């Protein structure tokens, strides 16, 4: 052995005792991935990177923030004005939240289109949904911290939802607040939770990846890899592809941060919280608007709350509600169209959530709420039974390699 | 190439949805839409017009500051809009603040220093409300970011006062302004033209004064705007080149697969 192997032997010694190098090599370098993953598969790793970005900027913000009703608002303005590059860190954190939801929503819709929730990836899908719920709790607690008017009134409206629970509702709300109104105890616990939840998020992301790596990624054709000819190592193929995706995401995110940092926010949150003045319209951030529309679509408070939480619960059952054995919508002529109705439904719900609940917005909200549940509870079981799927290719490699020389055949359309 | 298109399209689509929702969420119902003005700080390369910002400070100090605070801005910050140390000291020295307690335990009044925040015209909110017939004049530090329409709104409000001919139902003691939500504001028309004598000789029309003080207040709310946009153009230029290189690398790495 020559002297260049000294470093190598140290690494081997360490890896024998704690196989960290083997682990990384196994899950990020050699990790076999289907060779036909499209750019829609990039959003998973993008979500992971945005989470890291949020944690890093968030920890720096926490070093300068003061969680007290009399000082929180001013301490945020001190960050904006007196902390070196504080404005950049805060604008990245605020817009990073929006980027996180945008990326994750695309990631989820990709899973819906290509049937990534089906056997054997049901638990992977569940972990993803739990991540979404944790993200929502995190976004909400974080939005309260600057203690502007929208912070205060969002906290008031959302915590008050629990008062709809029969008998114990009011006691639960008092317990959540730590008092008889949203005040300093509420702000303090929201701050504590906002610091805790991201680390729970990291833990569930780890479980999500563990489940993913147990069976490997789904792919645009939705068929299993049958051997080495169907797969390529994650590095360098998908590392470089994801890096390019990251570049594009950063361009979009930083364009907001530098040139329209308050575009996605609400002006009222630059007014200090005032319990005596209610804003004309209390609206949440854009990523909550569809759920806000569902909440307000029925005149009964309890039913609204049940529907809103139900809209998050129903997707957990999707692996069994979807009765089709075919994963990819590419080979499912009816579902392929119904999928796009669900996309439109989500956008319509979002618009309704941004409007006062009256007139056409309320009617639309009711129709699209009903359609949302219809999609999962009725259409998904039904379509699987009556639909005649198109023939599946025999392997991943076959259409990919054939697509290279022969004229494009059916499977290449799978990426549309 | 087609696949790149999909990825980018996805991002653009999400951004577009965000844009659409945000703008519809913010449409104010009961106030006139302020007409869009041209501002030097608009756009990717925009920056604050130094002379207008300084004239705006003059309007603020001589008119607005008699009733409104500017708590989040310190006199030292005026160095950022082109005043030297002595000028900042002189501006601060026009005001007095309560300090203490001194070594004998007494509170005392002294001249304001550059490190002090703009001195409030009132001792506290109670006094402010009492002097103004119950209506608290809001602090103006963040007004530019705290109102729908931002600078356009502030400008429209300042020049937009109209006589209430009776059909707007403005209560006694309030003033009609179509740009103010609800139409009735407790703020008397603050500017009429020639309210200040500009140091640089600019004619002090009501439009000029309103425009200048709006620029000053935009700076007060977003003092890092110039630095932000300068850094932003560099960062984005770098990212666009880097991303193009990453795309080329991706093409090269994947070439042997197809």
């Amino acid at each position: 052995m020559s002297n260049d192997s000294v470093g190598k032997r140290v690494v081997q010694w360490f890896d024998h005792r704690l196989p960290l190098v083997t682990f990384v090599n196994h899950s990020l370098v050699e990790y076999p991935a289907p060779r036909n993953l499209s750019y829609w598969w990039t959003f998973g790793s993008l979500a992971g990177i945005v989470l890291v970005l949020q944690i890093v900027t968030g920890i720096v913000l926490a070093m300068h923030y003061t969680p007290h009703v009399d000082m929180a608002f001013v301490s945020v303005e001190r960050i904006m004005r007196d902390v070196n590059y504080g404005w950049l860190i805060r604008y990245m954190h605020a817009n990073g939240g929006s980027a996180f939801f945008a990326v994750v929503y695309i990631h989820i819709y990709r899973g819906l289109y290509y049937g990534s929730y089906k056997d054997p990836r049901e638990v992977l899908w569940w972990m993803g949904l739990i991540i979404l719920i944790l993200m929502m709790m995190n976004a909400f607690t974080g939005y309260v911290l600057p203690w502007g008017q929208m912070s205060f009134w969002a906290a008031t409206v959302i915590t008050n939802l629990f008062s709809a629970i029969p008998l114990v509702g009011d006691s639960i709300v008092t317990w959540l607040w730590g008092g008889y109104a949203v005040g300093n105890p509420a702000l303090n616990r929201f701050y504590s939770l906002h610091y805790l939840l991201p680390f729970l998020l990291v833990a569930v992301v780890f479980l999500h990846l563990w489940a993913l790596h147990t069976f490997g990624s789904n792919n645009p054709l939705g068929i299993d890899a049958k051997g080495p000819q169907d797969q390529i190592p994650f590095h360098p193929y998908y590392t470089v592809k994801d890096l390019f995706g990251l570049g594009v995401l950063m361009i979009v995110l930083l364009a907001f941060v530098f040139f329209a940092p308050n575009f996605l926010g609400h002006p009222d949150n630059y007014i200090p919280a005032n319990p005596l003045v209610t804003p004309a319209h209390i609206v949440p951030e854009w990523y909550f608007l569809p759920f806000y529309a569902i909440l307000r679509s029925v005149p009964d408070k309890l039913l609204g709350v049940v529907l809103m939480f139900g809209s998050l619960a129903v997707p957990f059952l999707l692996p069994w509600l979807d009765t089709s054995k075919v994963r990819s919508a590419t080979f499912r002529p009816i579902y392929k169209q119904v999928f796009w109705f669900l996309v439109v439904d989500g956008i319509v719900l979002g618009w309704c959530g941004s409007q006062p609940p009256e007139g056409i917005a309320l009617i639309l909200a009711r129709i699209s709420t009903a359609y949302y549940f219809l999609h999962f509870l009725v259409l998904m079981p039904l379509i699987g039974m009556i639909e005649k799927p198109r023939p599946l290719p025999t392997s991943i490699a076959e259409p990919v390699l054939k697509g290279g020389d022969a004229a494009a055949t059916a499977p290449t359309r799978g990426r549309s | 190439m087609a696949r790149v298109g999909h990825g980018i399209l996805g991002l653009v689509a999400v951004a577009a949805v965000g844009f659409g929702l945000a703008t519809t969420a913010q449409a104010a119902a009961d106030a006139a839409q302020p007409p869009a003005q041209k501002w030097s700080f608009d756009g990717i390369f925009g920056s604050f017009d130094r002379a207008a910002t300084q004239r705006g400070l003059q309007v603020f100090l001589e008119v607005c500051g008699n009733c409104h605070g500017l708590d989040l801005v310190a006199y030292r910050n005026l160095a950022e809009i082109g005043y030297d140390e002595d000028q900042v000291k002189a501006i601060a020295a026009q005001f007095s603040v309560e300090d203490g307690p001194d070594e004998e335990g007494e509170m005392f009044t002294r001249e304001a220093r550059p490190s002090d925040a703009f001195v409030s015209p009132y001792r506290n909110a109670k006094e402010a409300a009492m002097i103004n017939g119950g209506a608290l004049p809001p602090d103006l530090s963040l007004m530019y970011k705290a109102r729908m329409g931002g600078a356009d709104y502030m400008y429209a409000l300042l020049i937009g006062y109209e006589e209430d001919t009776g059909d707007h139902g403005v209560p006694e003691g309030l003033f009609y302004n179509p740009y103010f939500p609800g139409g009735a504001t407790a703020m008397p028309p603050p500017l009429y033209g020639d309210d200040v004598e500009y140091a640089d000789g600019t004619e002090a029309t009501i439009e000029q004064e309103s425009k200048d003080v709006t620029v000053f207040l935009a700076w007060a709310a977003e003092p890092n705007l110039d630095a932000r946009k300068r850094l932003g153009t560099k960062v984005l230029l770098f990212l666009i080149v880097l991303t193009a290189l990453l795309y080329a690398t991706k093409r090269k790495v994947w070439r042997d697969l197809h």
Side-chain angles (χ1 to χ4, degrees), chain A residues 35 37-40 43 73 77-78 80-82 85 87-88 91 102 106 232 236-238 240-241 243-244 247-251 254-259 261-267 270-271 289 347 350-351 354-355 401 415-416, chain B residues 3-4 6-8 10-11 14-15 17-19 21-26 29 44 71-73 76 141-142 145-148 220-224 227-229 231-233 235-236 239-240 243 246-247 249-250 253-254 256-258:
Chain A
R35 57 185 297 148
L37 298 186
S38 67
Y39 274 105
W40 294 116
F43 289 89
F73 188 88
E77 277 304 313
R78 287 287 155 246
M80 295 295 289
R81 290 157 191 270
D82 294 339
Y85 291 98
W87 55 269
L88 178 58
Y91 279 153
I106 294 174
I232 47 177
Y237 295 107
Y238 288 113
V240 71
K241 194 167 178 170
L243 274 175
F244 167 64
V248 176
L249 174 71
M250 280 299 153
I251 289 173
L254 292 178
F256 272 97
V257 167
F258 283 111
F259 301 116
N262 294 304
F263 193 87
L264 296 169
H266 196 289
Y270 281 110
I271 304 170
L289 289 175
I347 294 170
W351 178 80
S354 74
Q355 302 296 313
L401 294 179
R415 288 180 209 109
S416 61
Chain B
R3 286 199 251 162
V4 187
H6 285 312
I8 295 170
L11 287 168
V14 166
V17 170
F19 270 93
L21 295 177
T23 42
T24 49
Q26 294 172 0
I44 292 175
D71 289 354
L72 298 172
V73 182
R76 66 181 159 80
S141 308
L142 284 167
K145 294 202 279 190
R147 291 294 180 276
M148 219 75 77
E222 193 71 11
N224 290 300
R228 168 158 63 75
K229 292 189 174 180
L231 182 60
T233 40
V235 167
L236 280 205
L239 269 178
I240 288 166
T243 305
L246 284 171
Y247 181 64
T249 314
K250 187 257 160 192
V253 168
W254 278 71
D256 58 337
L257 265 191
H258 295 303

Side-chain angles (χ1 to χ4, degrees), chain A residues 42 62 80 101 123 128 173 223 244 285 289 308 311 391 395 401 414:
Chain A
T42 300
M80 295 295 289
F101 276 95
V123 176
V173 172
I223 56 175
F244 167 64
E285 296 279 87
L289 289 175
M308 187 181 72
S311 69
S395 82
L401 294 179

Side-chain angles (χ1 to χ4, degrees), chain B residues 116-136:
Chain B
D116 287 314
F118 270 57
V119 177
S120 166
Y122 313 104
R123 278 176 300 169
N124 48 57
K126 285 259 160 57
E127 188 193 50
M130 191 268 289
I131 290 174
N132 294 284
L136 184 73

